[in-house]
């Protein structure tokens, strides 16, 4: 199971990820090599979730949960990522 954030600066990309059935990294490979190392480990049938953290309340908030349906990393308009079927969006 993998978790990822969807904040690109001050923009929450959760709705775009869900609508376009993707989970993406908004940073380039040179800016976030550790994230790309993790993304290369994601495989078909792995679960992935969109998360947010409330600093004030020290809470982890889950925004959506899905399953990876294609683990080929592709360049989408939101960044590099994989195809996901979102099973739950809260």
């Amino acid at each position: 199971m993998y978790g990822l954030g969807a904040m690109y600066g001050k923009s929450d990309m959760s709705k775009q990820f869900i609508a376009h059935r993707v989970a993406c990294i908004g940073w380039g490979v040179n800016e976030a090599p550790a994230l790309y190392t993790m993304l290369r480990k994601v495989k078909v049938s792995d679960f992935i979730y969109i998360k947010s953290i409330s600093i004030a309340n020290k809470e982890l908030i889950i925004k959506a949960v899905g399953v990876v349906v294609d683990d080929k990393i592709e360049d989408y308009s939101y960044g590099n990522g994989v195809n996901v079927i979102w099973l739950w969006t809260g």
Side-chain angles (χ1 to χ4, degrees), residues 1 22 53 85:
M1 179 174 272
V22 297
I53 298 175
I85 292 177

Side-chain angles (χ1 to χ4, degrees), residues 17-62:
F17 287 3
I18 293 164
H20 293 96
R21 299 171 60 161
V22 297
C24 295
I25 296 173
W27 301 94
V29 176
N30 294 330
E31 299 167 304
L35 292 178
Y36 283 88
T37 298
M38 180 193 73
L39 187 61
R40 286 189 289 275
K41 293 179 182 180
V42 173
K43 299 297 176 210
V44 171
S45 79
D46 283 346
F47 286 95
I48 196 161
Y49 61 91
I50 300 172
K51 53 97 178 155
S52 174
I53 298 175
S54 169
I55 301 295
N57 298 329
K58 298 179 183 171
E59 293 177 322
L60 176 66
I61 300 160
I62 305 299

